Amino acid sequence: MASNAYIIANKRAVSSHPHRQPHLPLLLLLFSLFFIGKFDIVSALNYTKYTRKVSNLRLQRIQKHLEKINKPAVITIESPDGDIIDCVHKRKQPALDHPLLKKHKIQRVAPEMPKVKTLKRDEGSGDSKRKEGEDLIWQMWHRNGTRCPKGTVPIRRSTTRDVLRAKSLFHFGKKQSTTINPTRRADAPDVVSSNGHEHAIAYTGTSQEVYGAKATINVWDPSIQEVNEFSLSQIWILSGSFDGSDLNSIEAGWQVSPELYGDSRPRLFTYWTSDSYQATGCYNLLCAGFVQTNSRIAIGAAISPVSQYDANQYDITILIWKDPKVGNWWMGFGDNNLVGYWPAELFTHLAGHATMVEWGGEVVNSRANGKHTSTEMGSGHFAEDGFGKSSYFRNLELVDADNSLSSVHDISTLAENTNCYNIKNSYNNEWGTYFYYGGPGNNPQCP
């Protein structure tokens, strides 16, 4: 059940913790542009500079692209937050448009789940307590009670306004490519870039063969200063050259991105690339690639409820691992809920195995006013504030060549500027290897 995927940690336990959009005529599309500024309002964010005159040719190109990715729906569900969720037949989903997947048959036999090496902890004895028997509403579109029928997958519909917020049609749904600092250590994680991305992460070494990773991630709604900035918390599965153009990456977690989604809500997301974010891959289902199999989980949909300061804490559990028999990389959510998979055909290095895993937060610092951004990471509080105040990742685990899952013990941590965002890791029997991380960004010590 998808309801078991969402966990609540009660604040009373703090003291016990050790520390298809329809085809629109062109005239209607043109008319709608006059209202972009009116409807694309995100908190105090200013969309003025993103509202510009658009040529008929560009609108036609956008509409053609939307017709390609917004597949015909069996039924359509309107979410309270304004999202439109299209229930698309699983064999009509965008993934199968990929040139490498023309002959791909959707994997029907469930993958072999990783075996747990160590005994499971008593889940009722620590900070996180599962609300057994409750049908927790963990995505906004679930609230009206309608679900996608069997044999379909829920896909968040993209709109003209979504594309217009992007730098270009090519950049829609993509991360910026990174430029690596040539002086970086050979074993350092792929985070040192010149495009304003900042991180607070834990990571493994590069000498081992890794076949997956898992973690439980605290969910917040950090504030974003600029429309083109974001704040995310995720798992990275990596292989290839960090200082070349062949890096393979599989990513999943939650993200607040006004430019991508048009609001400031935290949303479940995925990402992949096989060429260092240059041309391949995208977020969610905004391009061909990721094959969805789950009819209840909408990638890119808003998560609700979210954690509150010194109050109830909510988290999600994400598992990414390589099916030892077929070779596809699967994503699990919560208690063994299969979301879908990244076909092995998409990758070069990850067709074999991963060499590094990262867990943690990332923000974009655009320095729009000549100062460090005030975009928050995690809860917006530093790691030392602890449970209920700072954001956390807990129960960090890795999957080995035997498809066994075990707790991570040897990790390193990195934060480019600890006066803006930081990270502190530890270990205990209940949370295994865990860490607190995040920060407010701009402050007197982070000008």
Side-chain angles (χ1 to χ4, degrees):
M1 291 290 293
S3 60
N4 290 336
Y6 211 66
I7 313 301
I8 178 173
N10 195 289
K11 85 172 197 178
R12 292 192 296 270
V14 174
S15 60
S16 67
H17 189 261
H19 296 287
R20 158 158 202 28
Q21 184 176 7
H23 180 79
L24 295 177
L26 185 57
L27 288 176
L28 183 56
L29 279 172
L30 286 166
F31 179 78
S32 69
L33 294 177
F34 289 101
F35 298 94
I36 290 173
K38 178 178 179 180
F39 292 109
D40 279 352
I41 296 173
V42 181
S43 184
L45 294 176
N46 183 6
Y47 272 93
T48 303
K49 62 182 178 181
Y50 294 91
T51 305
R52 55 189 181 272
K53 291 184 178 180
V54 184
S55 69
N56 289 357
L57 179 59
R58 188 179 182 207
L59 281 174
Q60 290 170 352
R61 287 172 176 170
I62 291 173
Q63 188 63 18
K64 184 177 180 180
H65 182 73
L66 292 175
E67 289 172 353
K68 183 178 180 180
I69 64 174
N70 288 332
K71 301 299 185 179
V74 175
I75 65 168
T76 292
I77 300 170
E78 295 186 15
S79 176
D81 61 355
D83 279 1
I84 301 298
I85 305 298
D86 290 324
C87 301
V88 176
H89 194 285
K90 62 183 179 181
R91 290 196 295 269
K92 302 295 184 180
Q93 62 180 295
L96 303 179
D97 291 338
H98 197 286
L100 296 175
L101 302 179
K102 290 299 183 182
K103 297 182 180 180
H104 183 83
K105 301 296 183 183
I106 295 177
Q107 186 173 339
R108 300 179 65 180
V109 178
E112 180 184 335
M113 298 293 292
K115 302 176 291 291
V116 180
K117 277 187 175 180
T118 55
L119 291 175
K120 281 195 173 183
R121 60 197 179 279
D122 177 5
E123 296 191 65
S125 63
D127 296 303
S128 294
K129 297 185 178 180
R130 185 171 276 109
K131 292 284 188 177
E132 297 290 0
E134 289 191 13
D135 186 14
L136 291 177
I137 301 172
W138 61 271
Q139 284 197 313
M140 291 285 286
W141 71 280
H142 290 169
R143 290 189 174 182
N144 67 6
T146 308
R147 296 292 185 270
C148 286
K150 185 177 180 180
T152 68
V153 294
I155 301 179
R156 180 182 182 270
R157 185 188 297 176
S158 296
T159 69
T160 302
R161 292 194 296 271
D162 290 337
V163 181
L164 289 174
R165 286 192 302 271
K167 184 178 180 181
S168 69
L169 182 56
F170 173 81
H171 291 90
F172 175 59
K174 292 182 171 64
K175 284 188 177 182
Q176 297 182 48
S177 60
T178 57
T179 303
I180 307 301
N181 185 335
T183 63
R184 63 187 294 281
R185 299 195 326 273
D187 63 341
D190 179 35
V191 299
V192 186
S193 64
S194 62
N195 56 6
H197 291 227
E198 295 185 14
H199 308 76
I201 64 168
Y203 62 98
T204 64
T206 58
S207 60
Q208 58 185 314
E209 293 185 3
V210 181
Y211 293 83
K214 185 179 183 180
T216 296
I217 312 172
N218 199 194
V219 181
W220 293 80
D221 55 349
S223 66
I224 312 297
Q225 179 178 315
E226 298 291 327
V227 173
N228 62 339
E229 296 180 340
F230 65 66
S231 180
L232 59 76
S233 297
Q234 69 171 54
I235 302 173
W236 289 259
I237 308 290
L238 301 160
S239 189
S241 174
F242 292 145
D243 55 0
S245 61
D246 64 346
L247 180 71
N248 290 198
S249 181
I250 289 173
E251 307 165 23
W254 63 261
Q255 173 190 46
V256 177
S257 176
E259 182 181 279
L260 187 59
Y261 304 107
D263 60 31
S264 294
R265 297 180 177 92
R267 295 171 176 271
L268 178 70
F269 83 95
T270 61
Y271 199 90
W272 71 274
T273 182
S274 61
D275 63 354
S276 300
Y277 307 97
Q278 295 181 99
T280 64
C282 62
Y283 283 109
N284 310 328
L285 306 180
L286 296 178
C287 69
F290 183 85
V291 178
Q292 183 155 344
T293 60
N294 193 292
S295 64
R296 291 175 57 86
I297 299 170
I299 302 172
I303 300 172
S304 179
V306 300
S307 301
Q308 300 295 322
Y309 184 83
D310 203 23
N312 285 345
Q313 300 297 296
Y314 297 88
D315 52 34
I316 57 175
T317 298
I318 290 177
L319 166 64
I320 302 170
W321 85 103
K322 186 180 178 65
D323 181 349
K325 294 181 179 179
V326 181
N328 298 322
W329 287 87
W330 279 82
M331 175 182 171
F333 188 93
D335 291 341
N336 304 330
N337 298 292
L338 300 176
V339 180
Y341 61 91
W342 294 267
E345 297 97 312
L346 297 176
F347 302 105
T348 52
H349 297 284
L350 282 175
H353 57 79
T355 55
M356 176 181 280
V357 173
E358 300 169 10
W359 301 261
E362 177 182 2
V363 301
V364 173
N365 172 29
S366 64
R367 299 190 67 89
N369 301 315
K371 298 180 180 179
H372 193 285
T373 184
S374 60
T375 287
E376 298 172 337
M377 181 188 292
S379 68
H381 292 264
F382 287 113
E384 50 268 28
D385 288 354
F387 184 78
K389 301 173 181 177
S390 179
S391 188
Y392 61 79
F393 275 62
R394 62 179 175 89
N395 303 108
L396 273 59
E397 297 175 285
L398 290 175
V399 181
D400 63 20
D402 294 326
N403 201 35
S404 296
L405 196 61
S406 58
S407 182
V408 180
H409 292 286
D410 298 322
I411 60 170
S412 302
T413 60
L414 177 147
E416 289 96 338
N417 191 339
T418 56
N419 290 325
C420 308
Y421 315 102
N422 67 355
I423 180 170
K424 295 184 183 299
N425 66 296
S426 189
Y427 181 92
N428 65 42
N429 290 334
E430 174 66 19
W431 278 19
T433 296
Y434 68 94
F435 60 83
Y436 290 104
Y437 71 103
N442 180 264
N443 66 81
Q445 284 71 48
C446 174

